[in-house]
Amino acid sequence: VQLQASGGGLVRAGGSLRLSCAASGPISRINVMGWYRQVPGKERELVALITTDDKKKYADSVKGRFTIARDNAKNTIPLEITDLKAEDAAIYYCYQGFACSHFDCAVQYWGQGTLVTVSS
């Protein structure tokens, strides 16, 4: 399925944001879905992943501040962000993975991203 991220914007440090990843079709059978982010000039990094049975994985830098969910009825993957920090500024990309062993997937796709900017 195609993925489209939305919800990015300019937020003050310490603020909150809700990103959404909308899929063009059913997501119930997509093994792993989630979010990555990338700062220009740096490698894309994992933010949060969620499996079909709701197991979750977070980057250490976002634990306790970010919450991922999976809404199979709406075919969306929301990401709740609180206590935003300057280092959270990046382009956030939706992710879908297939042929997975736990969170490691042999087939991976990323959708279009949404920009999150953090002001001090």
Side-chain angles (χ1 to χ4, degrees):
V1 299
Q2 293 187 336
L3 303 176
Q4 178 66 56
S6 63
L10 174 63
V11 183
R12 297 192 69 168
S16 300
L17 201 60
R18 186 176 193 271
L19 305 183
S20 183
C21 174
S24 61
I27 65 170
S28 58
R29 295 185 179 183
I30 299 176
N31 300 148
V32 176
M33 297 194 73
W35 293 88
Y36 279 70
R37 67 187 181 188
Q38 187 172 23
V39 174
K42 294 188 176 181
E43 289 190 2
R44 185 157 43 195
E45 63 175 6
L46 179 148
V47 175
L49 299 175
I50 187 167
T51 66
T52 50
D53 56 353
D54 273 354
K55 291 184 175 61
K56 300 171 186 179
K57 178 179 181 178
Y58 294 96
D60 287 342
S61 60
V62 307
K63 283 180 181 176
R65 301 187 297 118
F66 288 28
T67 303
I68 190 171
R70 186 173 183 134
D71 189 334
N72 289 334
K74 296 181 179 179
N75 296 319
T76 60
I77 304 291
L79 182 69
E80 298 284 350
I81 302 173
T82 62
D83 191 21
L84 269 162
K85 302 180 185 300
E87 54 264 38
D88 294 323
I91 299 173
Y92 284 70
Y93 295 92
C94 297
Y95 167 87
Q96 53 182 326
F98 301 87
C100 305
S101 173
H102 300 290
F103 294 102
D104 296 321
C105 302
V107 181
Q108 304 180 83
Y109 299 99
W110 284 267
Q112 293 185 331
T114 186
L115 177 63
V116 174
T117 306
V118 182
S119 65
S120 57

